Each structure stands twice: as C-alpha cells, then as structure tokens.
Amino acid sequence: MNSKWVISKSIAVPDPGRAIPYLQATRGRQVNRIAELKAFGFKTVIDLGTPAKTAQLHRAETEALGMRYFNIPVDGETPSREQVNDFTQKVVDAADDMLLVYAPSSSLFGAMWAAHRINLGAPMEFAINRGRDLGMEAVQETILRNRSGAKKHP
C-alpha cells in the first residue's frame, strides 16, 4: 500500500500536555511515509478531518506496522465538544507513547489542542495561547471561549 501522507501538517505529542512540531520530534527530517515515523518512536496516529475512504487506507497501513490509528473526522475548522472529548481520551490513553496528530490545517490543530488543554483543566488563557502557537485563528478562539463561557482577556 505504502501511501504517501502529507505528514508535514502534523504535530507530535510526547505526552498529553505537550505538542511540538513533528519536525522537532524527527530532528528536522522530513518524513512522508508512515513507516518512517515508526523509526522515530511514534506508536499512535490520530488523523483529524480525513475522509472515511482515505482514513481506511491510512488505518490499514498504520496497523500493518503494529501502530495504532484513530480517525476523528472533523468537518470544518472547529471540532465539536464530542470530537474534543474523543481526542482527549485518545491522547490520554496514549500517554506512554509518542503520537502523531495529522490535520488538514494548522488552524484545526490549534483549535483541537486548545480545546484539549481546556478539557484537561488548563487555564483558559494558557490553552488559548498554546492553540494560537499551533495556528488557531480568532474565530476558533471565539467559539471555544463561548463554549466555556469565558470572556476574552483584556
């Protein structure tokens, strides 16, 4: 199968509270095939926003390598509460593994990561800042603040 993934739109999660650019985790090496990730210690992949048919191919390739694969098909740029809860659970369950999160856009990464951090009890401003660092946009920030009833910090 050996499909080519666009892994450059990915973050590495070494533990449930920390997200880093995947290039930092691969020591700057551009990786375009899932098999190459295993050599860097990745054991789990969470795929956000990938259509079901493509996700089936990614799942088969990932699981054939002995890695875990999860698809959370987010439609749009802001995940629902249920999708965030699912993501948080999967990240926590993979706490002992290096995991890769793929999304079709950095803004989706950022929004998912900020919402995940809020789920874990992080202060709103801290979570929002981490989300911005990963690409979250102002409209997504507003949605997350509205969901939690928080006001924008002056």
Side-chain angles (χ1 to χ4, degrees):
M1 186 167 306
N2 211 14
S3 64
K4 188 167 184 170
W5 289 36
V6 184
I7 295 173
S8 60
K9 294 181 181 178
S10 301
I11 58 172
V13 180
D15 63 65
R18 191 163 61 106
I20 60 175
Y22 101 95
L23 284 173
Q24 186 176 337
T26 61
R27 297 179 293 282
R29 182 168 177 212
Q30 183 78 26
V31 176
N32 288 315
R33 301 209 182 275
I34 195 69
E36 294 174 275
L37 289 173
K38 190 170 183 176
F40 288 98
F42 289 95
K43 296 182 181 176
T44 302
V45 174
I46 299 176
D47 197 347
L48 306 175
T50 298
K53 189 172 184 175
T54 304
Q56 288 174 349
L57 296 173
H58 289 180
R59 175 182 302 280
E61 183 177 356
T62 304
E63 291 178 350
L65 295 167
M67 298 168 66
R68 297 187 312 161
Y69 176 89
F70 301 102
N71 180 252
I72 303 173
V74 178
D75 185 26
E77 293 297 313
T78 306
S80 69
R81 283 187 173 113
E82 294 77 20
Q83 290 165 328
V84 173
N85 290 339
D86 189 20
F87 178 82
T88 296
Q89 188 60 53
K90 286 173 176 37
V91 171
V92 169
D93 288 348
D96 294 332
D97 300 336
M98 175 74 90
L99 80 99
L100 179 94
V101 181
Y102 167 81
S105 71
S106 59
S107 62
L108 177 53
F109 280 139
M112 182 64 89
W113 191 255
H116 161 70
R117 292 307 311 243
I118 292 165
N119 265 3
L120 292 178
M124 177 63 67
E125 293 310 312
F126 176 83
I128 293 296
N129 286 334
R130 295 299 73 77
R132 283 185 199 140
D133 290 346
L134 293 171
M136 182 174 67
E137 296 176 358
V139 67
Q140 295 162 305
E141 177 182 339
T142 300
I143 291 167
L144 294 182
R145 287 182 185 280
N146 288 342
R147 281 186 192 166
S148 65
K151 302 289 184 217
K152 183 167 175 103
H153 190 272

